[in-house]
Amino acid sequence: MGKNRKDMRAKQQASASSASKTTAIDIPEEEQWRIIKESGILKQAGASTAAQEAALGGDDEDYEISPLADEVFRALFLAIPMSFMLLLMDILVHYQYGRRPTFLDLRDRLLPGVPIIYVFVFYSNRYKADKRAQAALFWLSCLAGGRLIWLLNRGNWLTVMQQCPPAATAWIFAVVQLNLGPAVLSLVVAGAYTWYKGFTLNI
């Protein structure tokens, strides 16, 4: 008796599972789409997606950066390495003449230099695409490069210590900000000036 009940339950479960399998397979695709459309599941999914996009769009608007703030941060990204370049050149020129720079020497170089560098970087970034700005940067590169080469060959030690770090920083900055063609041309001008005057670049 117990075995019959168990056998009957097993047969009922097997027939129920086979019936569910056959009904899932037997429903045609058109009928499935009709059921999905009538249930409204797709509309609910679309509405929740639109709500999520609206929420994300609201977050983007909250964190939108103003153009001035963007310019300030872009100027910082270039002003910081240029300030360190000025510091490095000052340290190197001190060691070139066997002097160890003190904190006060470096502070006296950086306090007036960093604000000038930042203002210069800010405005050159803003007008970098302008042809007049490119021409000004080209002439700055030629003049700063020529002055640096002349100082290294003919300047006395005190003049070299005072003028080489800003001249080197200005030259590097101008070449970095120039487009490729004018940058290469300015380096050719510096090389031609070095060759014409018979200077060397030995430090």
Side-chain angles (χ1 to χ4, degrees):
M1 195 91 167
K3 287 183 181 179
N4 288 340
R5 285 185 183 173
K6 287 182 182 177
D7 290 338
M8 287 180 67
R9 283 184 188 167
K11 287 179 183 178
Q12 287 175 352
Q13 288 175 354
S15 64
S17 64
S18 64
S20 65
K21 287 180 184 175
T22 55
T23 53
I25 294 171
D26 289 345
I27 298 176
E29 188 175 348
E30 295 172 1
E31 184 67 18
Q32 291 175 4
W33 277 111
R34 184 188 64 76
I35 293 170
I36 290 171
K37 287 178 184 176
E38 287 178 1
S39 66
I41 291 174
L42 290 178
K43 292 179 184 177
Q44 292 173 356
S48 64
T49 305
Q52 289 174 353
E53 288 176 359
L56 290 175
D59 289 346
D60 289 344
E61 290 172 5
D62 291 345
Y63 293 107
E64 187 175 325
I65 298 174
S66 70
L68 179 62
D70 186 42
E71 282 183 327
V72 167
F73 286 119
R74 280 192 293 136
L76 268 177
F77 286 136
L78 194 55
I80 290 171
M82 287 298 120
S83 300
F84 279 108
M85 180 65 66
L86 178 65
L87 180 66
L88 174 67
M89 292 298 162
D90 197 35
I91 292 170
L92 289 177
V93 81
H94 273 82
Y95 275 106
Q96 180 181 357
Y97 291 106
R99 297 170 57 100
R100 186 182 178 97
T102 64
F103 176 76
L104 294 176
D105 292 334
L106 299 177
R107 185 199 65 187
D108 291 342
R109 172 68 74 184
L110 288 178
L111 279 179
V114 170
I116 293 169
I117 288 172
Y118 185 80
V119 169
F120 194 68
V121 167
F122 180 81
Y123 283 105
S124 65
N125 270 348
R126 178 180 279 184
Y127 301 109
K128 183 179 173 181
D130 189 11
K131 291 183 179 181
R132 291 175 292 181
Q134 286 290 307
L137 288 167
F138 173 78
W139 287 112
L140 173 66
S141 174
C142 292
L143 293 173
R147 180 66 178 167
L148 180 66
I149 292 166
W150 185 89
L151 284 169
L152 290 175
N153 285 274
R154 300 285 165 87
N156 64 35
W157 70 274
L158 188 58
T159 307
V160 169
M161 288 184 69
Q162 290 173 347
Q163 294 183 12
C164 272
T169 304
W171 189 17
I172 292 168
F173 171 74
V175 170
V176 166
Q177 287 290 81
L178 280 170
N179 293 334
L180 182 61
V184 171
L185 184 59
S186 72
L187 295 175
V188 168
V189 168
Y193 173 73
T194 305
W195 172 79
Y196 177 73
K197 290 288 190 177
F199 292 153
T200 61
L201 294 179
N202 297 333
I203 298 175

